[in-house]
Amino acid sequence: KGNAPVITPTAHPLVALFSAPGCPQGSQFRVAFHADGEEAISRTPAQPCQGSISSNAYVAGMRADTEYKVRSEVISGGKVTPSDYLSFHTGMLDGDFPPVEISVPATAKDDSEPVIIYSAASLGSGARPFATDLQGRVIWYLRSNDFLTRVLPGGRFLVLGDGANSVNHTRDTQLLKEIDIAGNIIRETNIGVVAEQLKSRGIQSDCQKNGRECISGFHHEAIRLPNGHTLAVAGIERMMPTGTQGSKMPVDVLGDVIIDLDEDFQVAGVWNGFDHQDLNRKSLYDAKCHTGEGGCPAVLL
């Protein structure tokens, strides 16, 4: 508002949007914040000033139902020029989170910066991914029940989520999303869209129209590459003829594909495990996969 900074709530109860007037190009802008009555100060990463364009940053890493003091800081030639503090009161957690015990090293004297992130896998439960400070206090969480795979630079995350798609009837981990720290979706794709693009690469992956080969969904991992592409793992099923691995009837063999997605989540390349694995080699202990069992993807063929 004019030359006055403004702090605005977001849909996430622990994340605020701080907006400050423009600052001279060549300078840097950041936001400093601390809980009211506490001395430890946290700061957002510095970003370049844009001249007359306002400077904006998400402020995250705050505890629930707590009063905070928040200000902007402009860095120029080693000099830091702060604004006056604004007050912001965080919201309530919209659910329960399992308690965590943290062993703090004797040398850790300032707990305002270190953050520990917990995923459903690390907790061994269906809890949503969340983050704590070194005292075990929740300071961020994923508002959806998606599976967090990776933290990206700039406060973004790669997650796998459930949802409908066009090539099979299951909803389990059909979506790949990149979200920001407030939970807004930056880009998204689903396994149906990916499967349609894989047809030109020799993978007939529509489960509803093809009984020979099928992409079942994303699972376990998605990572960001230095060139901006994203690698994601997906399950693939292929019906193999009688006699495969000693079978007495046609057998559904499960494998994996690794999909290279460009900056717009469009398929740029694929690695298909069926092109490299020895299908005459049985699974360890002749294990069988059944839909719904832990570690098994959907069996759709």
Side-chain angles (χ1 to χ4, degrees), residues 9 13 35 86 100 108 171 184 193 272 278:
L86 299 178
V100 294
R171 295 179 60 87
N184 300 306
V193 172
N272 187 347
D278 180 6

Side-chain angles (χ1 to χ4, degrees), residues 160 173 176 190-192 194-199 201-205 213-223 230-238 253-261 267 269-277 297:
L160 306 179
T173 56
L176 170 63
N190 66 70
I191 205 66
V194 170
E196 292 170 4
Q197 297 177 60
L198 291 176
K199 291 180 182 179
R201 300 174 184 272
I203 299 177
Q204 302 302 315
S205 48
E213 194 167 63
C214 181
I215 298 288
S216 57
F218 298 108
H219 66 82
H220 281 86
E221 181 67 294
I223 66 173
T230 301
L231 290 185
V233 183
I236 183 172
E237 303 178 25
R238 180 179 290 182
V253 177
L254 306 183
D256 286 317
V257 292
I258 301 175
I259 304 161
D260 178 5
L261 301 168
V267 174
V270 63
W271 179 92
N272 187 347
F274 279 105
D275 296 336
H276 304 277
Q277 295 169 327

